[in-house]
Amino acid sequence: MEDMNIDKMQKALDMIFNKNIPFILLSKEKDYQLILGAAAMSRLGRYTVSLEEESGNGRADIIMRPNRSGLPNIILEMKRSDSVNDLESDSSKAISQIEEKGYFRNMKGRILLYGISFNGKSSRISMKEITA
């Protein structure tokens, strides 16, 4: 995540959902959030991971704060899309939500904003880097 390689992230996400997660477990946005939250927890040591943390004017789905200097802050916002045709626009809307609600308000330095949309086992990732 912190290397900003969207293609690599997209392939990993596709592998997780297509090979490891039964479709029946993917009905709500929170289902995806818990799976990605568990994946983010694999970064423990490098990051402190929070789910549904109050930040700015709302609650960010996942916030990852670095435990070492040189690593960026990371904010992930998820959207469940009504159709695969909405994936791209919904992932962009997730980034807009992070910005509009100011989820990064108390952060300093590099911040990576990820908007991730899902429809069944299909997903799309958008990313934006900011500095605060």
Side-chain angles (χ1 to χ4, degrees):
M1 254 182 257
E2 58 269 19
D3 66 4
M4 304 180 338
N5 187 332
I6 297 294
D7 290 335
K8 182 179 168 183
M9 285 180 61
Q10 188 70 60
K11 286 177 186 172
L13 202 56
D14 291 345
M15 185 192 72
I16 289 169
F17 287 106
N18 289 314
K19 294 185 179 181
N20 299 305
I21 307 294
F23 185 80
I24 196 165
L25 297 177
L26 302 172
S27 62
K28 299 178 184 155
E29 183 179 315
K30 295 294 178 216
D31 300 333
Y32 298 98
Q33 180 187 14
L34 289 173
I35 292 165
L36 287 181
M41 299 276 181
S42 71
R43 300 273 203 264
L44 289 176
R46 296 180 81 176
Y47 285 91
T48 299
V49 179
S50 302
L51 280 70
E52 288 298 326
E53 180 179 324
E54 285 188 26
S55 185
N57 293 320
R59 293 178 179 269
D61 286 333
I62 300 172
I63 292 181
M64 300 171 64
R65 288 189 168 81
N67 293 328
R68 301 182 209 166
S69 63
L71 294 173
N73 291 284
I74 299 174
I75 302 173
L76 294 92
E77 185 64 31
M78 264 71 69
K79 296 285 178 202
R80 187 180 175 285
S81 298
D82 291 330
S83 80
V84 292
N85 296 327
D86 297 330
L87 288 170
E88 192 71 40
S89 64
D90 286 344
S91 67
S92 294
K93 286 178 188 174
I95 298 245
S96 295
Q97 179 178 328
I98 294 169
E99 294 177 310
E100 289 166 11
K101 300 234 180 202
Y103 293 158
F104 50 84
R105 195 169 289 157
N106 295 321
M107 295 179 177
K108 302 278 187 229
R110 265 179 74 217
I111 306 166
L112 304 180
L113 313 178
Y114 286 99
I116 306 173
S117 58
F118 300 94
N119 178 275
K121 292 188 172 201
S122 299
S123 65
R124 187 74 67 241
I125 303 170
S126 294
M127 192 275 296
K128 181 175 183 178
E129 182 176 0
I130 63 171
T131 304

